[in-house]
Amino acid sequence: MDGYRAIDADGHIMEHPMEIKQYLETPFDRLTWTTFSMFPSVDGFVRGFSRPGEEDDPDPQRWLAFLDRCGIKETYLYPSTGLACGLIQDREWAVALARAYNRWIHEKFMRASPRLKAVAIIPVQDIPAAVAELRRAVTEFGMAGAVLPSVTVFDKRYGHSDYDPLFAEAERLGCGLAIHGTVSQRLGIDSSDNFFKTQALEHPLGQLIQFTDMIADGVFERFPGLRVAFLEAGAGWVPYMMDRLDEGYERRGKRWCKALRKKPSEYVRSGNLFFSCEVGERTLPYALNIVGEEALFFASDFPHERRRGQFESDIDTLLAREDITDQQKEKILYRNAERFYSGK
């Protein structure tokens, strides 16, 4: 497959508290950050051991160099420690930090190059403020949408009607919302002392819970134009959950899923749900067939947890696969991400 086009649907920045502090508004601009963290911990592990001795903090120039080496047109940048924003218990601080972070990433990365896109952090602790911040991020900063943390401090998951104003605004704006894993708390695995186990489970578990909740409680029935992506858990789990939810719907749907007008799998295949896949997933052909060719896209996850050379071989690995077609590769690498982020 010659002359491929590629979009990175999920890259990451590394937060700089002293830089973000410059954008904090009163009264939080008077706080100091030499000891305490801005964001809660995603789990209890030190993440730097995955790449000892390597640069783990790409600035805009390093990000652009990475895109050039990989032949990637553009990337959509997500937070790192900011993925734990849903664990912030102080609502006023959650609002202030989201506003400061969004200004910071816009000034530092988006202004550096149109190839460096960004998604916003929004304070899901305060829905009216989250709606306002999503609107500001999209209309004033030109962001592609927002990240929804897969784990929050609340017992109300994203299927709850309290979040409807946020989904209505995203649908009105035509922007995407992406649910991203990472946090291990409140999932029953935060007592582990083994990072291999924690990392294997914390990404998919949070997304499985939110995916099930949003479908069963009728989010995609109420908001048929809402585009939602599930990031960094692979795609192999999706066919399994489609079958499992369909079976449950056939047996118990009339009582427990009164908001639904069709089988759960039909919402998944509606064209508005997206999933990042791994280039080496053995179940990828199966997922493409069951979930749909329009639903899966490529994400680098750069610069997290791997050495640079491993990232740079990802696209070649996908292109070399003989069990998926060139048309499928083009959709995974480019068209599906373009549609999720721009609606085209």
Side-chain angles (χ1 to χ4, degrees), residues 215-251:
I215 289 178
D217 285 347
V219 169
F220 303 107
E221 180 67 39
R222 297 195 297 277
F223 303 100
L226 178 67
R227 299 194 306 277
V228 176
F230 296 83
L231 302 180
E232 211 167 312
W237 61 272
V238 188
Y240 166 76
M241 287 302 296
M242 291 168 70
D243 281 347
R244 186 157 181 82
L245 294 183
D246 278 356
E247 181 181 9
Y249 182 67
E250 291 173 4
R251 295 181 181 183

PDB file of all heavy atoms in Angstrom, residues 215-251:
ATOM      1  N   ILE A 215     -24.916   2.821  26.603  1.00  0.00           N
ATOM      2  CA  ILE A 215     -25.818   2.116  25.691  1.00  0.00           C
ATOM      3  C   ILE A 215     -27.104   1.721  26.405  1.00  0.00           C
ATOM      4  O   ILE A 215     -28.211   2.003  25.938  1.00  0.00           O
ATOM      5  CB  ILE A 215     -25.115   0.887  25.091  1.00  0.00           C
ATOM      6  CG1 ILE A 215     -24.030   1.340  24.102  1.00  0.00           C
ATOM      7  CG2 ILE A 215     -26.131  -0.019  24.392  1.00  0.00           C
ATOM      8  CD1 ILE A 215     -23.237   0.226  23.490  1.00  0.00           C
ATOM      9  N   ALA A 216     -26.988   1.083  27.560  1.00  0.00           N
ATOM     10  CA  ALA A 216     -28.170   0.564  28.258  1.00  0.00           C
ATOM     11  C   ALA A 216     -29.118   1.669  28.699  1.00  0.00           C
ATOM     12  O   ALA A 216     -30.339   1.481  28.711  1.00  0.00           O
ATOM     13  CB  ALA A 216     -27.733  -0.265  29.463  1.00  0.00           C
ATOM     14  N   ASP A 217     -28.562   2.838  29.050  1.00  0.00           N
ATOM     15  CA  ASP A 217     -29.408   3.933  29.514  1.00  0.00           C
ATOM     16  C   ASP A 217     -29.850   4.868  28.388  1.00  0.00           C
ATOM     17  O   ASP A 217     -30.436   5.917  28.643  1.00  0.00           O
ATOM     18  CB  ASP A 217     -28.685   4.732  30.602  1.00  0.00           C
ATOM     19  CG  ASP A 217     -28.669   3.980  31.928  1.00  0.00           C
ATOM     20  OD1 ASP A 217     -29.412   2.996  32.062  1.00  0.00           O
ATOM     21  OD2 ASP A 217     -27.899   4.373  32.824  1.00  0.00           O
ATOM     22  N   GLY A 218     -29.550   4.496  27.145  1.00  0.00           N
ATOM     23  CA  GLY A 218     -30.153   5.171  26.012  1.00  0.00           C
ATOM     24  C   GLY A 218     -29.510   6.468  25.565  1.00  0.00           C
ATOM     25  O   GLY A 218     -30.160   7.279  24.893  1.00  0.00           O
ATOM     26  N   VAL A 219     -28.229   6.684  25.876  1.00  0.00           N
ATOM     27  CA  VAL A 219     -27.569   7.919  25.441  1.00  0.00           C
ATOM     28  C   VAL A 219     -27.630   8.069  23.926  1.00  0.00           C
ATOM     29  O   VAL A 219     -27.935   9.142  23.395  1.00  0.00           O
ATOM     30  CB  VAL A 219     -26.100   7.953  25.933  1.00  0.00           C
ATOM     31  CG1 VAL A 219     -25.330   9.095  25.263  1.00  0.00           C
ATOM     32  CG2 VAL A 219     -26.055   8.109  27.446  1.00  0.00           C
ATOM     33  N   PHE A 220     -27.384   6.974  23.210  1.00  0.00           N
ATOM     34  CA  PHE A 220     -27.312   7.067  21.749  1.00  0.00           C
ATOM     35  C   PHE A 220     -28.695   7.010  21.102  1.00  0.00           C
ATOM     36  O   PHE A 220     -28.823   7.274  19.912  1.00  0.00           O
ATOM     37  CB  PHE A 220     -26.382   5.973  21.216  1.00  0.00           C
ATOM     38  CG  PHE A 220     -25.010   6.053  21.813  1.00  0.00           C
ATOM     39  CD1 PHE A 220     -24.592   5.123  22.764  1.00  0.00           C
ATOM     40  CD2 PHE A 220     -24.159   7.084  21.475  1.00  0.00           C
ATOM     41  CE1 PHE A 220     -23.331   5.215  23.346  1.00  0.00           C
ATOM     42  CE2 PHE A 220     -22.906   7.198  22.052  1.00  0.00           C
ATOM     43  CZ  PHE A 220     -22.492   6.262  22.993  1.00  0.00           C
ATOM     44  N   GLU A 221     -29.695   6.696  21.892  1.00  0.00           N
ATOM     45  CA  GLU A 221     -31.081   6.849  21.443  1.00  0.00           C
ATOM     46  C   GLU A 221     -31.502   8.305  21.581  1.00  0.00           C
ATOM     47  O   GLU A 221     -32.147   8.870  20.690  1.00  0.00           O
ATOM     48  CB  GLU A 221     -31.999   5.948  22.272  1.00  0.00           C
ATOM     49  CG  GLU A 221     -33.463   6.033  21.894  1.00  0.00           C
ATOM     50  CD  GLU A 221     -33.764   5.485  20.509  1.00  0.00           C
ATOM     51  OE1 GLU A 221     -33.168   4.461  20.117  1.00  0.00           O
ATOM     52  OE2 GLU A 221     -34.595   6.111  19.811  1.00  0.00           O
ATOM     53  N   ARG A 222     -31.122   8.940  22.693  1.00  0.00           N
ATOM     54  CA  ARG A 222     -31.492  10.344  22.922  1.00  0.00           C
ATOM     55  C   ARG A 222     -30.681  11.299  22.054  1.00  0.00           C
ATOM     56  O   ARG A 222     -31.172  12.373  21.691  1.00  0.00           O
ATOM     57  CB  ARG A 222     -31.281  10.701  24.407  1.00  0.00           C
ATOM     58  CG  ARG A 222     -32.147   9.911  25.362  1.00  0.00           C
ATOM     59  CD  ARG A 222     -32.189  10.528  26.745  1.00  0.00           C
ATOM     60  NE  ARG A 222     -30.902  10.578  27.429  1.00  0.00           N
ATOM     61  CZ  ARG A 222     -30.375   9.558  28.106  1.00  0.00           C
ATOM     62  NH1 ARG A 222     -31.007   8.391  28.148  1.00  0.00           N
ATOM     63  NH2 ARG A 222     -29.214   9.697  28.731  1.00  0.00           N
ATOM     64  N   PHE A 223     -29.443  10.901  21.736  1.00  0.00           N
ATOM     65  CA  PHE A 223     -28.552  11.788  20.976  1.00  0.00           C
ATOM     66  C   PHE A 223     -27.975  11.024  19.786  1.00  0.00           C
ATOM     67  O   PHE A 223     -26.800  10.630  19.787  1.00  0.00           O
ATOM     68  CB  PHE A 223     -27.439  12.315  21.883  1.00  0.00           C
ATOM     69  CG  PHE A 223     -27.950  13.033  23.104  1.00  0.00           C
ATOM     70  CD1 PHE A 223     -28.003  12.391  24.338  1.00  0.00           C
ATOM     71  CD2 PHE A 223     -28.408  14.336  23.018  1.00  0.00           C
ATOM     72  CE1 PHE A 223     -28.485  13.034  25.463  1.00  0.00           C
ATOM     73  CE2 PHE A 223     -28.901  14.997  24.131  1.00  0.00           C
ATOM     74  CZ  PHE A 223     -28.946  14.337  25.358  1.00  0.00           C
ATOM     75  N   PRO A 224     -28.774  10.816  18.761  1.00  0.00           N
ATOM     76  CA  PRO A 224     -28.327   9.994  17.627  1.00  0.00           C
ATOM     77  C   PRO A 224     -27.183  10.601  16.827  1.00  0.00           C
ATOM     78  O   PRO A 224     -26.517   9.887  16.074  1.00  0.00           O
ATOM     79  CB  PRO A 224     -29.591   9.864  16.779  1.00  0.00           C
ATOM     80  CG  PRO A 224     -30.428  11.051  17.147  1.00  0.00           C
ATOM     81  CD  PRO A 224     -30.161  11.291  18.607  1.00  0.00           C
ATOM     82  N   GLY A 225     -26.938  11.891  17.003  1.00  0.00           N
ATOM     83  CA  GLY A 225     -25.838  12.521  16.285  1.00  0.00           C
ATOM     84  C   GLY A 225     -24.554  12.638  17.093  1.00  0.00           C
ATOM     85  O   GLY A 225     -23.555  13.164  16.597  1.00  0.00           O
ATOM     86  N   LEU A 226     -24.564  12.156  18.324  1.00  0.00           N
ATOM     87  CA  LEU A 226     -23.399  12.269  19.200  1.00  0.00           C
ATOM     88  C   LEU A 226     -22.310  11.294  18.774  1.00  0.00           C
ATOM     89  O   LEU A 226     -22.564  10.100  18.620  1.00  0.00           O
ATOM     90  CB  LEU A 226     -23.826  11.985  20.641  1.00  0.00           C
ATOM     91  CG  LEU A 226     -22.728  12.008  21.705  1.00  0.00           C
ATOM     92  CD1 LEU A 226     -22.179  13.421  21.882  1.00  0.00           C
ATOM     93  CD2 LEU A 226     -23.259  11.467  23.032  1.00  0.00           C
ATOM     94  N   ARG A 227     -21.084  11.789  18.607  1.00  0.00           N
ATOM     95  CA  ARG A 227     -19.950  10.931  18.262  1.00  0.00           C
ATOM     96  C   ARG A 227     -19.102  10.697  19.510  1.00  0.00           C
ATOM     97  O   ARG A 227     -18.649  11.655  20.148  1.00  0.00           O
ATOM     98  CB  ARG A 227     -19.092  11.565  17.167  1.00  0.00           C
ATOM     99  CG  ARG A 227     -19.835  11.801  15.860  1.00  0.00           C
ATOM    100  CD  ARG A 227     -18.893  12.097  14.708  1.00  0.00           C
ATOM    101  NE  ARG A 227     -17.985  13.189  14.974  1.00  0.00           N
ATOM    102  CZ  ARG A 227     -18.283  14.477  14.834  1.00  0.00           C
ATOM    103  NH1 ARG A 227     -19.502  14.838  14.454  1.00  0.00           N
ATOM    104  NH2 ARG A 227     -17.386  15.419  15.083  1.00  0.00           N
ATOM    105  N   VAL A 228     -18.882   9.432  19.847  1.00  0.00           N
ATOM    106  CA  VAL A 228     -18.123   9.062  21.035  1.00  0.00           C
ATOM    107  C   VAL A 228     -17.079   8.031  20.652  1.00  0.00           C
ATOM    108  O   VAL A 228     -17.378   7.065  19.926  1.00  0.00           O
ATOM    109  CB  VAL A 228     -19.038   8.494  22.137  1.00  0.00           C
ATOM    110  CG1 VAL A 228     -18.215   8.010  23.331  1.00  0.00           C
ATOM    111  CG2 VAL A 228     -20.043   9.548  22.593  1.00  0.00           C
ATOM    112  N   ALA A 229     -15.854   8.220  21.138  1.00  0.00           N
ATOM    113  CA  ALA A 229     -14.770   7.262  20.914  1.00  0.00           C
ATOM    114  C   ALA A 229     -14.336   6.659  22.240  1.00  0.00           C
ATOM    115  O   ALA A 229     -14.415   7.300  23.294  1.00  0.00           O
ATOM    116  CB  ALA A 229     -13.583   7.940  20.236  1.00  0.00           C
ATOM    117  N   PHE A 230     -13.860   5.426  22.179  1.00  0.00           N
ATOM    118  CA  PHE A 230     -13.321   4.718  23.330  1.00  0.00           C
ATOM    119  C   PHE A 230     -11.863   4.408  23.015  1.00  0.00           C
ATOM    120  O   PHE A 230     -11.567   3.674  22.062  1.00  0.00           O
ATOM    121  CB  PHE A 230     -14.128   3.449  23.602  1.00  0.00           C
ATOM    122  CG  PHE A 230     -15.554   3.730  23.997  1.00  0.00           C
ATOM    123  CD1 PHE A 230     -16.519   3.967  23.031  1.00  0.00           C
ATOM    124  CD2 PHE A 230     -15.926   3.774  25.329  1.00  0.00           C
ATOM    125  CE1 PHE A 230     -17.835   4.243  23.384  1.00  0.00           C
ATOM    126  CE2 PHE A 230     -17.238   4.058  25.701  1.00  0.00           C
ATOM    127  CZ  PHE A 230     -18.190   4.292  24.726  1.00  0.00           C
ATOM    128  N   LEU A 231     -10.963   4.965  23.832  1.00  0.00           N
ATOM    129  CA  LEU A 231      -9.552   4.985  23.469  1.00  0.00           C
ATOM    130  C   LEU A 231      -8.673   4.152  24.389  1.00  0.00           C
ATOM    131  O   LEU A 231      -8.868   4.122  25.601  1.00  0.00           O
ATOM    132  CB  LEU A 231      -9.037   6.431  23.478  1.00  0.00           C
ATOM    133  CG  LEU A 231      -9.752   7.425  22.555  1.00  0.00           C
ATOM    134  CD1 LEU A 231      -9.130   8.804  22.683  1.00  0.00           C
ATOM    135  CD2 LEU A 231      -9.717   6.950  21.110  1.00  0.00           C
ATOM    136  N   GLU A 232      -7.714   3.504  23.754  1.00  0.00           N
ATOM    137  CA  GLU A 232      -6.585   2.853  24.406  1.00  0.00           C
ATOM    138  C   GLU A 232      -6.947   1.580  25.164  1.00  0.00           C
ATOM    139  O   GLU A 232      -6.350   1.258  26.177  1.00  0.00           O
ATOM    140  CB  GLU A 232      -5.839   3.830  25.324  1.00  0.00           C
ATOM    141  CG  GLU A 232      -4.350   3.517  25.412  1.00  0.00           C
ATOM    142  CD  GLU A 232      -3.535   4.625  26.049  1.00  0.00           C
ATOM    143  OE1 GLU A 232      -3.700   5.797  25.653  1.00  0.00           O
ATOM    144  OE2 GLU A 232      -2.731   4.300  26.932  1.00  0.00           O
ATOM    145  N   ALA A 233      -7.922   0.852  24.652  1.00  0.00           N
ATOM    146  CA  ALA A 233      -8.222  -0.470  25.200  1.00  0.00           C
ATOM    147  C   ALA A 233      -8.287  -1.511  24.095  1.00  0.00           C
ATOM    148  O   ALA A 233      -8.746  -2.622  24.311  1.00  0.00           O
ATOM    149  CB  ALA A 233      -9.530  -0.444  25.981  1.00  0.00           C
ATOM    150  N   GLY A 234      -7.829  -1.145  22.891  1.00  0.00           N
ATOM    151  CA  GLY A 234      -7.953  -2.051  21.769  1.00  0.00           C
ATOM    152  C   GLY A 234      -9.387  -2.160  21.303  1.00  0.00           C
ATOM    153  O   GLY A 234     -10.292  -1.493  21.809  1.00  0.00           O
ATOM    154  N   ALA A 235      -9.616  -3.035  20.314  1.00  0.00           N
ATOM    155  CA  ALA A 235     -10.954  -3.193  19.739  1.00  0.00           C
ATOM    156  C   ALA A 235     -11.503  -4.604  19.905  1.00  0.00           C
ATOM    157  O   ALA A 235     -12.679  -4.843  19.618  1.00  0.00           O
ATOM    158  CB  ALA A 235     -10.931  -2.831  18.253  1.00  0.00           C
ATOM    159  N   GLY A 236     -10.695  -5.532  20.394  1.00  0.00           N
ATOM    160  CA  GLY A 236     -11.140  -6.913  20.477  1.00  0.00           C
ATOM    161  C   GLY A 236     -12.279  -7.151  21.447  1.00  0.00           C
ATOM    162  O   GLY A 236     -13.028  -8.129  21.317  1.00  0.00           O
ATOM    163  N   TRP A 237     -12.430  -6.256  22.428  1.00  0.00           N
ATOM    164  CA  TRP A 237     -13.497  -6.413  23.416  1.00  0.00           C
ATOM    165  C   TRP A 237     -14.869  -6.040  22.872  1.00  0.00           C
ATOM    166  O   TRP A 237     -15.896  -6.442  23.423  1.00  0.00           O
ATOM    167  CB  TRP A 237     -13.203  -5.559  24.657  1.00  0.00           C
ATOM    168  CG  TRP A 237     -13.105  -4.075  24.405  1.00  0.00           C
ATOM    169  CD1 TRP A 237     -11.987  -3.375  24.047  1.00  0.00           C
ATOM    170  CD2 TRP A 237     -14.156  -3.105  24.501  1.00  0.00           C
ATOM    171  NE1 TRP A 237     -12.271  -2.037  23.912  1.00  0.00           N
ATOM    172  CE2 TRP A 237     -13.599  -1.847  24.186  1.00  0.00           C
ATOM    173  CE3 TRP A 237     -15.513  -3.190  24.827  1.00  0.00           C
ATOM    174  CZ2 TRP A 237     -14.347  -0.676  24.181  1.00  0.00           C
ATOM    175  CZ3 TRP A 237     -16.266  -2.010  24.821  1.00  0.00           C
ATOM    176  CH2 TRP A 237     -15.681  -0.779  24.504  1.00  0.00           C
ATOM    177  N   VAL A 238     -14.903  -5.280  21.800  1.00  0.00           N
ATOM    178  CA  VAL A 238     -16.178  -4.718  21.344  1.00  0.00           C
ATOM    179  C   VAL A 238     -17.122  -5.791  20.801  1.00  0.00           C
ATOM    180  O   VAL A 238     -18.304  -5.819  21.179  1.00  0.00           O
ATOM    181  CB  VAL A 238     -15.946  -3.591  20.318  1.00  0.00           C
ATOM    182  CG1 VAL A 238     -17.269  -2.887  20.008  1.00  0.00           C
ATOM    183  CG2 VAL A 238     -14.917  -2.577  20.837  1.00  0.00           C
ATOM    184  N   PRO A 239     -16.685  -6.704  19.909  1.00  0.00           N
ATOM    185  CA  PRO A 239     -17.613  -7.757  19.469  1.00  0.00           C
ATOM    186  C   PRO A 239     -18.151  -8.595  20.624  1.00  0.00           C
ATOM    187  O   PRO A 239     -19.335  -8.963  20.627  1.00  0.00           O
ATOM    188  CB  PRO A 239     -16.757  -8.606  18.515  1.00  0.00           C
ATOM    189  CG  PRO A 239     -15.709  -7.677  18.020  1.00  0.00           C
ATOM    190  CD  PRO A 239     -15.393  -6.790  19.184  1.00  0.00           C
ATOM    191  N   TYR A 240     -17.283  -8.897  21.589  1.00  0.00           N
ATOM    192  CA  TYR A 240     -17.729  -9.664  22.754  1.00  0.00           C
ATOM    193  C   TYR A 240     -18.856  -8.931  23.481  1.00  0.00           C
ATOM    194  O   TYR A 240     -19.885  -9.524  23.819  1.00  0.00           O
ATOM    195  CB  TYR A 240     -16.547  -9.898  23.690  1.00  0.00           C
ATOM    196  CG  TYR A 240     -16.935 -10.373  25.068  1.00  0.00           C
ATOM    197  CD1 TYR A 240     -17.326 -11.689  25.287  1.00  0.00           C
ATOM    198  CD2 TYR A 240     -16.917  -9.507  26.158  1.00  0.00           C
ATOM    199  CE1 TYR A 240     -17.690 -12.134  26.547  1.00  0.00           C
ATOM    200  CE2 TYR A 240     -17.284  -9.940  27.425  1.00  0.00           C
ATOM    201  CZ  TYR A 240     -17.665 -11.249  27.617  1.00  0.00           C
ATOM    202  OH  TYR A 240     -18.034 -11.681  28.866  1.00  0.00           O
ATOM    203  N   MET A 241     -18.672  -7.628  23.724  1.00  0.00           N
ATOM    204  CA  MET A 241     -19.683  -6.873  24.447  1.00  0.00           C
ATOM    205  C   MET A 241     -20.950  -6.681  23.622  1.00  0.00           C
ATOM    206  O   MET A 241     -22.060  -6.634  24.176  1.00  0.00           O
ATOM    207  CB  MET A 241     -19.123  -5.520  24.878  1.00  0.00           C
ATOM    208  CG  MET A 241     -18.123  -5.600  26.025  1.00  0.00           C
ATOM    209  SD  MET A 241     -18.821  -6.388  27.515  1.00  0.00           S
ATOM    210  CE  MET A 241     -20.112  -5.222  27.960  1.00  0.00           C
ATOM    211  N   MET A 242     -20.807  -6.589  22.318  1.00  0.00           N
ATOM    212  CA  MET A 242     -22.002  -6.495  21.470  1.00  0.00           C
ATOM    213  C   MET A 242     -22.873  -7.743  21.633  1.00  0.00           C
ATOM    214  O   MET A 242     -24.091  -7.652  21.812  1.00  0.00           O
ATOM    215  CB  MET A 242     -21.593  -6.307  20.004  1.00  0.00           C
ATOM    216  CG  MET A 242     -20.969  -4.958  19.711  1.00  0.00           C
ATOM    217  SD  MET A 242     -20.168  -4.874  18.083  1.00  0.00           S
ATOM    218  CE  MET A 242     -21.591  -4.917  16.990  1.00  0.00           C
ATOM    219  N   ASP A 243     -22.238  -8.913  21.582  1.00  0.00           N
ATOM    220  CA  ASP A 243     -22.989 -10.157  21.764  1.00  0.00           C
ATOM    221  C   ASP A 243     -23.574 -10.247  23.169  1.00  0.00           C
ATOM    222  O   ASP A 243     -24.724 -10.661  23.356  1.00  0.00           O
ATOM    223  CB  ASP A 243     -22.077 -11.364  21.519  1.00  0.00           C
ATOM    224  CG  ASP A 243     -21.869 -11.638  20.040  1.00  0.00           C
ATOM    225  OD1 ASP A 243     -22.598 -11.066  19.212  1.00  0.00           O
ATOM    226  OD2 ASP A 243     -20.965 -12.430  19.710  1.00  0.00           O
ATOM    227  N   ARG A 244     -22.772  -9.882  24.154  1.00  0.00           N
ATOM    228  CA  ARG A 244     -23.231 -10.010  25.533  1.00  0.00           C
ATOM    229  C   ARG A 244     -24.410  -9.074  25.818  1.00  0.00           C
ATOM    230  O   ARG A 244     -25.390  -9.467  26.458  1.00  0.00           O
ATOM    231  CB  ARG A 244     -22.082  -9.722  26.489  1.00  0.00           C
ATOM    232  CG  ARG A 244     -22.436  -9.979  27.942  1.00  0.00           C
ATOM    233  CD  ARG A 244     -21.212 -10.227  28.797  1.00  0.00           C
ATOM    234  NE  ARG A 244     -21.580 -10.491  30.184  1.00  0.00           N
ATOM    235  CZ  ARG A 244     -21.978 -11.669  30.639  1.00  0.00           C
ATOM    236  NH1 ARG A 244     -22.070 -12.705  29.809  1.00  0.00           N
ATOM    237  NH2 ARG A 244     -22.277 -11.831  31.912  1.00  0.00           N
ATOM    238  N   LEU A 245     -24.327  -7.835  25.351  1.00  0.00           N
ATOM    239  CA  LEU A 245     -25.414  -6.892  25.582  1.00  0.00           C
ATOM    240  C   LEU A 245     -26.661  -7.279  24.787  1.00  0.00           C
ATOM    241  O   LEU A 245     -27.791  -7.131  25.278  1.00  0.00           O
ATOM    242  CB  LEU A 245     -24.978  -5.476  25.234  1.00  0.00           C
ATOM    243  CG  LEU A 245     -23.880  -4.872  26.109  1.00  0.00           C
ATOM    244  CD1 LEU A 245     -23.608  -3.425  25.696  1.00  0.00           C
ATOM    245  CD2 LEU A 245     -24.219  -4.947  27.586  1.00  0.00           C
ATOM    246  N   ASP A 246     -26.472  -7.775  23.575  1.00  0.00           N
ATOM    247  CA  ASP A 246     -27.627  -8.210  22.795  1.00  0.00           C
ATOM    248  C   ASP A 246     -28.352  -9.372  23.476  1.00  0.00           C
ATOM    249  O   ASP A 246     -29.592  -9.411  23.524  1.00  0.00           O
ATOM    250  CB  ASP A 246     -27.193  -8.645  21.388  1.00  0.00           C
ATOM    251  CG  ASP A 246     -27.028  -7.463  20.447  1.00  0.00           C
ATOM    252  OD1 ASP A 246     -27.315  -6.323  20.861  1.00  0.00           O
ATOM    253  OD2 ASP A 246     -26.616  -7.687  19.292  1.00  0.00           O
ATOM    254  N   GLU A 247     -27.581 -10.318  23.993  1.00  0.00           N
ATOM    255  CA  GLU A 247     -28.201 -11.442  24.686  1.00  0.00           C
ATOM    256  C   GLU A 247     -28.967 -10.969  25.921  1.00  0.00           C
ATOM    257  O   GLU A 247     -30.104 -11.404  26.177  1.00  0.00           O
ATOM    258  CB  GLU A 247     -27.134 -12.458  25.099  1.00  0.00           C
ATOM    259  CG  GLU A 247     -27.707 -13.679  25.810  1.00  0.00           C
ATOM    260  CD  GLU A 247     -26.638 -14.669  26.225  1.00  0.00           C
ATOM    261  OE1 GLU A 247     -25.439 -14.352  26.115  1.00  0.00           O
ATOM    262  OE2 GLU A 247     -27.011 -15.775  26.670  1.00  0.00           O
ATOM    263  N   GLY A 248     -28.361 -10.066  26.682  1.00  0.00           N
ATOM    264  CA  GLY A 248     -29.049  -9.530  27.855  1.00  0.00           C
ATOM    265  C   GLY A 248     -30.294  -8.746  27.477  1.00  0.00           C
ATOM    266  O   GLY A 248     -31.319  -8.801  28.188  1.00  0.00           O
ATOM    267  N   TYR A 249     -30.221  -8.029  26.378  1.00  0.00           N
ATOM    268  CA  TYR A 249     -31.373  -7.240  25.925  1.00  0.00           C
ATOM    269  C   TYR A 249     -32.538  -8.147  25.533  1.00  0.00           C
ATOM    270  O   TYR A 249     -33.708  -7.842  25.826  1.00  0.00           O
ATOM    271  CB  TYR A 249     -30.950  -6.379  24.746  1.00  0.00           C
ATOM    272  CG  TYR A 249     -32.033  -5.475  24.214  1.00  0.00           C
ATOM    273  CD1 TYR A 249     -32.531  -4.422  24.974  1.00  0.00           C
ATOM    274  CD2 TYR A 249     -32.566  -5.683  22.937  1.00  0.00           C
ATOM    275  CE1 TYR A 249     -33.526  -3.588  24.486  1.00  0.00           C
ATOM    276  CE2 TYR A 249     -33.562  -4.859  22.443  1.00  0.00           C
ATOM    277  CZ  TYR A 249     -34.039  -3.816  23.220  1.00  0.00           C
ATOM    278  OH  TYR A 249     -35.031  -3.001  22.728  1.00  0.00           O
ATOM    279  N   GLU A 250     -32.222  -9.254  24.870  1.00  0.00           N
ATOM    280  CA  GLU A 250     -33.274 -10.193  24.484  1.00  0.00           C
ATOM    281  C   GLU A 250     -33.971 -10.783  25.711  1.00  0.00           C
ATOM    282  O   GLU A 250     -35.181 -11.021  25.687  1.00  0.00           O
ATOM    283  CB  GLU A 250     -32.680 -11.309  23.629  1.00  0.00           C
ATOM    284  CG  GLU A 250     -32.231 -10.844  22.257  1.00  0.00           C
ATOM    285  CD  GLU A 250     -31.484 -11.930  21.502  1.00  0.00           C
ATOM    286  OE1 GLU A 250     -31.387 -13.063  22.038  1.00  0.00           O
ATOM    287  OE2 GLU A 250     -30.997 -11.652  20.394  1.00  0.00           O
ATOM    288  N   ARG A 251     -33.209 -11.002  26.779  1.00  0.00           N
ATOM    289  CA  ARG A 251     -33.768 -11.650  27.965  1.00  0.00           C
ATOM    290  C   ARG A 251     -34.399 -10.650  28.939  1.00  0.00           C
ATOM    291  O   ARG A 251     -35.403 -10.954  29.587  1.00  0.00           O
ATOM    292  CB  ARG A 251     -32.666 -12.424  28.697  1.00  0.00           C
ATOM    293  CG  ARG A 251     -32.091 -13.582  27.902  1.00  0.00           C
ATOM    294  CD  ARG A 251     -31.018 -14.296  28.716  1.00  0.00           C
ATOM    295  NE  ARG A 251     -30.434 -15.411  27.973  1.00  0.00           N
ATOM    296  CZ  ARG A 251     -29.511 -16.232  28.474  1.00  0.00           C
ATOM    297  NH1 ARG A 251     -29.070 -16.040  29.703  1.00  0.00           N
ATOM    298  NH2 ARG A 251     -29.034 -17.226  27.751  1.00  0.00           N
TER     299      ARG A 251
END
